[in-house]
Every structure is written in structure tokens, then in C-alpha cells.
């Protein structure tokens, strides 16, 4: 019959997968693999736009990018009626994505100010759900992942646990503790009734290796059989091996995808499925296996801090607290600052639109071009506009430069 290209009955796609290397700045001459297939469904790209962070009612500096949060919810098989839990809920970005698919959500955070107070009237976690007419969480807890509030005999209540654990660099994790506990005082103490409402419990540093051990143990106990754990794991690209991902006897690795941050650093989107029921023997085996991971993670954390202090996070000298940032003048000399691993992780597309990391991104672009800066954006004569200090052209370039690269494998 006659071919109708404007309204075809079937669409066929040819997809070429290129190698990691480039051909003098151009795509490789020969693709590594070629796929051909028939289109059976398309995604709705307007969903990511609807939930982008620049439109969010309540937003924090570590809010998960909307597109990534939807991807994580998809990996966790979010669906109507499924109960999903985020132990590091923050401003609730991941739970918003899960609620979009009809899931029942629940979250916890060690910072009571985040889950209880927010930033004022109609600017809290609940406001984000009301904004999109989504079912609010069944509960938000002030809870510590290191000392969870669940009964020891509680088992298999969640269909999925989705989270972005603290990585322990600059914006590191916290657990219950304080000067008394660190000094060996373990006796319980009480808070006067008139002080309880405003009391902020003391906390202590919470390393990534300890955080992941607790996370995997919680998932092994509280996930139903077939339930999924989805989380991000930071990695040095050259040193990374698939065996570096921590495991648990009750959990099987289902997917391990890479999000490239810089030439040197990336983070892995890890998806695990519960395949065995939790037992004391499983818990003991997990503790023994974790010791090797703990030693390796200590070495990698030291490497991250050293490169951060040296300003050599993959050769990206963008603005932050420490390290190397060229092109910013202070009097006659140049002072050196830098951008931490955490800044790189959270400098996402939507963050740039929201203006959270615009200033740092523009400085980083100047560094990569080797240009001397005209001063800090928004505070010197190089600034234009009363607020952000970015020209329209610079803001557009910053947004393009900050787009992360995804290599996601959905299962």
C-alpha cells in the first residue's frame, strides 16, 4: 500500500551506541553497537517539566532533581497502593515522584526542622504534595537511620526504600550523638516540658560506610520479598569496580547505572531486590562482609577529601569553599577556593534553573576557558541585575554546562 510518513501505523527506530572515546571532539567514526526496533510506547516528557525544582513550593539545597527522582521511582516499581519509604527525606523530592505513580509514601529525617517546620507557612514538605494535588505522606518522622525507631521484630512492611544517602563530604551525614555520648556518657537524660517544642537533639558525624551498612540492614529487615532498594552511591571513575557496591545476603543487585559528574567522579544508581528472608545468621554474615567495604570506603573518602582540598575534582575548578578557583580577584592577588564533591552532585539542571548553583557554574566555565574573572558574580562590576548577577547569556551557558550525563539501564 501507499506509505504514509506523516501518520504511520508503525514507527521503527535505529539507535547507535557510541564508544566512550571521541574522534577529535566529534562522535566516533564507527558505532560500537546498532539497535533496530519498533516503537511500542513513548514517555511523557511533560512530567519532568511539571515537577522541576524551579516550580517547587518548598526547596532545599540538596533536593533531588525531578527527572532523577522520577527515574528512581521507576526503578523502585512505584505503583498505586505500594508503600515506599525514604529514610533521608529532606524536602520530599523523591517521595513526590513516588506519589506521582500512586504510591503511598512515608519519610524520615534526623533534622526535625526539615520535617516539622520547613521555611514557614505553606513552605514545608506537605506543601509540595498539596501543590501537585498528590496524596500526602502517611507520616514524616524525626528518626535516625543509625538508630531506627522500628521494633526489632518488625519485618517486611515496605514495598520499596528509595533514598539519596549523605556522602560524608562537606554536607556530611549526621546521627544521634553529641559531646556527652562522644565523651562516654551514655546515661539517659530528660528535657523539661517547656523546652521540648524547641529542642534540637544533638548529633554527631555519620560516615558513608556506616550509613550504607545501616541502610542495607534496614532494607533487608523491612522490605517485603521482591521489594526494592534504590539509592545513589558515589564512586571515583578510574578506581571503581562493580564489586565495590556493598551487598547483603538478603538482597540481589538488579541494576547499577552511572551518572557522570566529572572526568574523575561519578555516582551509581543502585537497585537491589530482596530475595531472602531476614534472619540473625544473615545479619551476622552482613556484619562480617561489611568490614572489607568499610576499610575500602575509608580510603576512598580520604581520596575525595584530598582532591577537594587540592581543588582537583576531575579538573573542574568551580566555586565552593576549598580548592582551586581561578579567575576570581581579591585585591591584587587571587585567593583559591574550590568545589566539593557534594556541589558537583547537586549542580543539576533544575538547580541551575532555580538559581541555587548559578554563581558557581559560571565561575567554573571561566576556569575551564582559562579566563580571568571580573569578580564574584552578583557582587562586583561584572554583575548585571540586582539579584543573581548573571547576564542572560551567562545563565544560559551555565545551564547547558551543568547538564549531567546519564547511562541508565531500566529493568
Amino acid at each position: 500500500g501507499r506509505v504514509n510518513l506523516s501518520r504511520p501505523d508503525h514507527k521503527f527506530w535505529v539507535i547507535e551506541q557510541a564508544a566512550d572515546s571521541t574522534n577529535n571532539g566529534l562522535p566516533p567514526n564507527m558505532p560500537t553497537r546498532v539497535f533496530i526496533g519498533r516503537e511500542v510506547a513513548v514517555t511523557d516528557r511533560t512530567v519532568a517539566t511539571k515537577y522541576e525544582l524551579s516550580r517547587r513550593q518548598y526547596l532545599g539545597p540538596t533536593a533531588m532533581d525531578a527527572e532523577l527522582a522520577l527515574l528512581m521511582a521507576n526503578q523502585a516499581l512505584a505503583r498505586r497502593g505500594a508503600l515506599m519509604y525514604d529514610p533521608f527525606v529532606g524536602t520530599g523530592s523523591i517521595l513526590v515522584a513516588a506519589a506521582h505513580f500512586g504510591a503511598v509514601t512515608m519519610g524520615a529525617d534526623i533534622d526535625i526542622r526539615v520535617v516539622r517546620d520547613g521555611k514557614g507557612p505553606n513552605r514545608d514538605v506537605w506543601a509540595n504534595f498539596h501543590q501537585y494535588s498528590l496524596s500526602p505522606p502517611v507520616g514524616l518522622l524525626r528518626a535516625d537511620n543509625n538508630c531506627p525507631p522500628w521494633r526489632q521484630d518488625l519485618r517486611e512492611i515496605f514495598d520499596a526504600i528509595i533514598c539519596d544517602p549523605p556522602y560524608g563530604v562537606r554536607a556530611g551525614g549526621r546521627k544521634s550523638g553529641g559531646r556527652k555520648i562522644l565523651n562516654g556518657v551514655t546515661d539517659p537524660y530528660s528535657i523539661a516540658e517547656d523546652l521540648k517544642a524547641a529542642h534540637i537533639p544533638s548529633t554527631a558525624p555519620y560516615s558513608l560506610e556506616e550509613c550504607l551498612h545501616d541502610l542495607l540492614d534496614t532494607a533487608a529487615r523491612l522490605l517485603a520479598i521482591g521489594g526494592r532498594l534504590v539509592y545513589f552511591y558515589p564512586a571515583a571513575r578510574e578506581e571503581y569496580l562493580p564489586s565495590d557496591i556493598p551487598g547483603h545476603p538478603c538482597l540481589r543487585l538488579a541494576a547499577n547505572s552511572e551518572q557522570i559528574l566529572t572526568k574523575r567522579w561519578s555516582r551509581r544508581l543502585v537497585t537491589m531486590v530482596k530475595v531472602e528472608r531476614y534472619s540473625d545468621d544473615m545479619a551476622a554474615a552482613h556484619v562480617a562482609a561489611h568490614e572489607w567495604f568499610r576499610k575500602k570506603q575509608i580510603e576512598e573518602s580520604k581520596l575525595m577529601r584530598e582532591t577537594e582540598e587540592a581543588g582537583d575534582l576531575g579538573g573542574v575548578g568551580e566555586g565552593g569553599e576549598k580548592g582551586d578557583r581561578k579567575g576570581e580577584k581579591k585585591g591584587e592577588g587571587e585567593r583559591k577556593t574550590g568545589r566539593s564533591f557534594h556541589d558537583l552532585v547537586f549542580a543539576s539542571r533544575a538547580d541551575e534553573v532555580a538559581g541555587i548553583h548559578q554563581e558557581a557554574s559560571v565561575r567554573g566555565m571561566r576556569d575551564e576557558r582559562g579566563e580571568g574573572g571580573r569578580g564574584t558574580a552578583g557582587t562586583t562590576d561584572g554583575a548585571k541585575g540586582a539579584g543573581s548577577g548573571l547576564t542572560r547569556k551567562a545563565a544560559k551557558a551555565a545551564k547547558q554546562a551543568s547538564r549531567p550525563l546519564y547511562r541508565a539501564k531500566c529493568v
Side-chain angles (χ1 to χ4, degrees), residues 61-62 165-174 308 321 340 342-343 346:
T62 59
Y167 304 130
V169 179
R170 198 170 79 92
R174 309 293 296 179
E308 179 190 8
E321 292 183 356
S340 72
H342 236 252
D343 289 327
F346 294 116

Side-chain angles (χ1 to χ4, degrees), residues 289-305:
H290 177 73
E291 183 61 22
W292 172 86
F293 170 74
R294 186 185 69 82
K295 293 179 180 178
K296 186 179 187 308
Q297 190 59 42
I298 290 174
E299 296 175 358
E300 189 156 304
S301 297
K302 182 180 178 182
L303 175 63
M304 280 200 291
R305 290 188 175 90

Side-chain angles (χ1 to χ4, degrees), residues 3 69 144 153 174 201-202 206 208 243-244 271 293 324 360 379 394 411:
V3 176
D144 180 5
D153 60 342
R174 309 293 296 179
S202 300
Y206 191 27
L208 177 61
S243 58
D244 293 344
T271 303
F293 170 74
D324 182 23
T379 59
V411 296

Side-chain angles (χ1 to χ4, degrees), residues 203-219:
T203 60
Y206 191 27
S207 64
L208 177 61
E209 60 270 13
E210 190 177 7
C211 173
L212 291 182
H213 175 272
D214 296 335
L215 177 63
L216 291 175
D217 187 72
T218 298

Side-chain angles (χ1 to χ4, degrees), residues 35-154:
F35 303 88
I36 184 171
R38 182 172 65 88
E39 180 182 293
V40 295
V42 294
T43 185
D44 184 3
R45 298 294 303 172
T46 61
V47 174
T49 304
K50 174 183 177 181
Y51 292 106
E52 64 184 13
L53 297 185
S54 61
R55 308 176 184 216
R56 197 65 59 85
Q57 197 101 357
Y58 177 43
L59 188 65
T62 59
M64 177 62 69
D65 174 68
E67 189 172 0
L68 278 179
L70 290 165
L71 178 63
M72 294 177 74
N74 187 56
Q75 288 288 95
L77 303 182
R79 60 199 180 277
R80 186 170 301 280
L83 180 57
M84 302 200 163
Y85 174 64
D86 182 355
F88 310 100
V89 66
T91 58
S93 295
I94 296 177
L95 293 189
V96 166
H100 166 77
F101 294 103
V104 179
T105 59
M106 185 176 185
D109 201 282
I110 194 170
D111 191 345
I112 192 173
R113 294 165 294 185
V114 174
V115 296
R116 183 189 64 186
D117 304 329
K119 295 183 178 180
N122 299 321
R123 293 190 66 193
D124 53 19
V125 179
W126 308 98
N128 288 339
F129 289 84
H130 295 319
Q131 177 183 354
Y132 300 112
S133 300
L134 298 172
S135 297
V138 295
L140 292 176
L141 310 176
R142 189 278 171 189
D144 180 5
N145 187 61
N146 182 245
C147 186
W150 319 109
R151 300 194 318 265
Q152 288 298 314
D153 60 342
L154 189 63

Side-chain angles (χ1 to χ4, degrees), residues 301-376:
S301 297
K302 182 180 178 182
L303 175 63
M304 280 200 291
R305 290 188 175 90
E306 289 176 350
T307 53
E308 179 190 8
E309 292 172 359
D312 187 27
L313 284 172
V316 181
E318 300 184 346
E321 292 183 356
K322 298 178 181 179
D324 182 23
R325 181 181 64 210
K326 300 177 182 178
E328 179 176 351
K329 294 184 178 180
K330 183 180 181 182
E332 296 297 326
E334 293 183 353
R335 68 181 174 90
K336 295 185 177 181
T337 57
R339 195 174 185 194
S340 72
F341 182 78
H342 236 252
D343 289 327
L344 294 171
V345 169
F346 294 116
S348 64
R349 243 180 305 184
D351 287 338
E352 295 293 347
V353 177
I356 296 174
H357 289 294
Q358 284 182 338
E359 182 178 295
S361 296
V362 172
R363 290 174 187 158
M365 289 193 305
R366 290 173 179 164
D367 295 344
E368 290 177 356
R369 295 197 303 262
E371 297 177 6
R374 295 176 57 192
T376 304

Side-chain angles (χ1 to χ4, degrees), residues 6 17 62 73 77 94 121 149 179 190 208 221 266 298 317 339 360 373 400:
S6 59
Q17 182 183 36
T62 59
L77 303 182
I94 296 177
R179 289 189 298 272
S190 59
L208 177 61
R221 286 195 297 114
S266 68
I298 290 174
R339 195 174 185 194
Q400 293 293 332

